Amino acid sequence: MKTDMEIIIEHLDRTIKDPIPRHILDKEILGKKTSDISKYQESKWYKQLIIEQMSNGSWGRFHTQNTKLKEKRIFKTTESALIRARELSLPKDDPVIKKAIKLMERYINGEEDWTDTNEHHYGFQITFKTLIAANIATFIPDHPLVIPKKEICAENLKKAFINGYLNEDIWESENRKSNEILLRPYMVYILWLLQQNSYLDEDTQRNYLNYICNRKQGIYYRTNMASSDIQSLESKYFNTWLTGLENLKNFTLFPDFMKKGIFQHLINESYRLIHDDVCLPVNPPVTNHYCESWRDKLSRKNDIILRILRVLIMY
C-alpha cells in the first residue's frame, strides 16, 4: 500500500512538465543526480536572475533597497535575488550563484565595498558581514568563511540557554565579547547559521526551536507569526506560515516539531489541492512561482504542493 507521500509525489511526477518544478522535483524529492543544468536555465524565472545580475555578481545593494533608483527592477536587493535563487533550488555551482558567492567572499574579506549605506553605529560592519556569511551558508554550509561564525553562534546560544530558556542579556553580552555576530536571536540569519551546524548540541537546538517556533512575532525578516500557529490554505497567512517552515526545515530536530500536527495537516492540504476545488492563496508576481505560467489552476496547485513537499521531505 502506497504512503501519503508516495501518492503526492506520483501526482507531481505525472503532471509536472515545466523546467524549474521538474528540476526541484528530480533533485530534492526524487534524488536524481544530473549534471545537465541547461534545462532549468531555459526557464523565464532563471532568466530574470541572469538579466538583472550585474557584472560584479550583485543585483545592486545587498540588504537595503535603494529607493532613489528610477529603474524598475524585479529584484530590489541582492539578498532578495539570492532568496529567489534558493526557491528555484539553484546549486552552488550554477554560474549565477558562483558569481554571487565570489562577491560575498570579497565583501567579507574586505576586498570590495558594498553599495549599501555604511552606517556608523557600533558594530555595523561586523553585523553586515554576519548576514552575508549567513547567506553564503544557505548555499555552502561548510564554507571556510562561514564556519567561524557558526561555531561562535552555537557557543553563545548555548550560554544564553544555560537555564533552559533564552536569556537575551547573556546572548547580547557574549556576542559583544566575541564581536562576531551582533544580531538578535530571532533574526533569520541566526537560523541560517544554526542549521547544518556541527557545533550546535541537541539540547540547545531543542531549546532554540521551542523558542523560535513559538515566538508570536515570528522570524524577523521572513515572517510575522509563530510557526506553531497552523494555517490552512484559505488563510491569508498561509504563505507566510509556510515560509516560516521553509526557513526551519534544515534543523536536524525539525521532524520533532513537525510531529505536533503539522506534518499531517500539510498532507491533508496537499490532498485537498489534488482533489478539491479550493481557494488558492494569493502570491506576489514572482515569489513562490515555479511553473512558467499560472493561467491554469493545476499549475498553481502543483506549485503549492511542491512547496509543501519540500518541507515534508525533511520529516
Side-chain angles (χ1 to χ4, degrees):
M1 188 174 182
K2 293 177 181 176
T3 66
D4 292 327
M5 289 282 284
E6 288 172 335
I7 292 170
I8 295 167
I9 290 170
E10 285 185 5
H11 163 78
L12 291 182
D13 195 26
R14 185 175 63 252
T15 56
I16 282 180
K17 308 298 179 186
D18 288 356
I20 288 296
R22 191 72 244 177
H23 161 69
I24 295 170
L25 185 67
D26 288 347
K27 175 187 170 187
E28 296 187 14
I29 311 301
L30 299 177
K32 293 182 180 179
K33 293 183 179 180
T34 175
S35 58
D36 184 9
I37 64 175
S38 63
K39 293 181 179 179
Y40 72 73
Q41 287 181 338
E42 290 302 311
S43 168
K44 69 177 182 180
W45 305 121
Y46 181 84
K47 290 175 181 177
Q48 284 180 340
L49 288 166
I50 283 280
I51 289 169
E52 292 198 354
Q53 189 175 32
M54 299 178 181
S55 59
N56 70 346
S58 77
W59 286 264
R61 289 185 176 182
F62 191 85
H63 177 69
T64 54
Q65 182 180 342
N66 185 354
T67 56
K68 295 181 179 179
L69 192 66
K70 293 182 180 180
E71 179 187 2
K72 188 175 181 181
R73 298 180 63 84
I74 294 169
F75 303 107
K76 308 300 183 185
T77 63
T78 295
E79 192 170 50
S80 66
L82 292 173
I83 289 171
R84 180 59 174 157
R86 289 195 293 274
E87 283 185 0
L88 303 183
S89 196
L90 300 193
K92 63 183 180 182
D93 57 351
D94 181 275
V96 168
I97 304 305
K98 287 173 70 174
K99 199 172 179 181
I101 287 175
K102 286 194 175 298
L103 171 68
M104 291 190 281
E105 290 170 345
R106 295 197 301 273
Y107 280 154
I108 293 176
N109 289 326
E111 297 166 0
E112 183 160 344
D113 291 331
W114 46 76
T115 55
D116 298 60
T117 302
N118 195 350
E119 299 175 21
H120 297 291
H121 60 73
Y122 170 77
F124 172 76
Q125 294 197 22
I126 293 171
T127 299
F128 207 89
K129 288 180 179 182
T130 300
L131 64 89
I132 290 173
N135 272 275
I136 293 176
T138 61
F139 292 99
I140 309 177
D142 58 351
H143 192 287
L145 293 176
V146 170
I147 293 300
K149 298 281 188 185
K150 283 193 164 190
E151 183 175 8
I152 291 169
C153 191
E155 287 177 356
N156 292 352
L157 193 69
K158 182 177 182 177
K159 293 174 183 176
F161 272 108
I162 188 67
N163 294 317
Y165 63 89
L166 179 66
N167 186 319
E168 289 200 40
D169 290 336
I170 294 177
W171 169 259
E172 295 297 330
S173 173
E174 292 300 323
N175 283 335
R176 288 284 183 127
K177 288 178 187 177
S178 57
N179 220 28
E180 282 287 342
I181 305 298
L182 302 184
L183 291 172
R184 301 291 183 183
Y186 45 78
M187 290 181 173
V188 71
Y189 308 107
I190 299 300
L191 274 73
W192 294 347
L193 289 172
L194 290 173
Q195 294 177 75
Q196 297 171 289
N197 185 331
S198 60
Y199 302 101
L200 183 64
D201 67 84
E202 188 170 303
D203 287 342
T204 304
Q205 181 184 167
R206 193 178 302 281
N207 286 332
Y208 181 74
L209 277 175
N210 183 58
Y211 157 76
I212 196 66
C213 291
N214 292 289
R215 186 173 184 268
K216 292 182 179 180
Q217 301 90 337
I219 303 165
Y220 194 56
Y221 285 127
R222 299 305 289 139
T223 72
N224 57 0
M225 60 183 301
S227 296
S228 58
D229 187 5
I230 297 175
Q231 301 294 314
S232 297
L233 287 164
E234 291 79 7
S235 169
K236 64 180 180 180
Y237 303 112
F238 180 81
N239 276 322
T240 301
W241 176 65
L242 191 54
T243 296
L245 298 182
E246 289 167 336
N247 282 276
L248 290 163
K249 68 180 184 179
N250 286 316
F251 280 104
T252 56
L253 295 180
F254 180 70
D256 291 352
F257 172 64
M258 289 285 283
K259 289 177 183 176
K260 300 174 182 178
I262 295 174
F263 178 83
Q264 191 57 51
H265 174 72
L266 289 176
I267 288 288
N268 295 342
E269 295 301 83
S270 297
Y271 273 129
R272 291 180 63 211
L273 286 162
I274 293 172
H275 299 296
D276 300 338
D277 185 19
V278 296
C279 181
L280 301 179
V282 177
N283 261 331
V286 176
T287 305
N288 299 325
H289 288 239
Y290 302 146
C291 291
E292 298 295 286
S293 172
W294 272 5
R295 289 176 183 168
D296 66 284
K297 201 166 186 179
L298 177 61
S299 294
R300 290 187 64 195
K301 284 185 172 185
N302 279 349
D303 275 6
I304 300 171
I305 296 170
L306 185 53
R307 277 190 76 195
I308 291 172
L309 198 57
R310 293 174 81 180
V311 172
L312 291 176
I313 204 70
M314 306 305 290
Y315 182 74

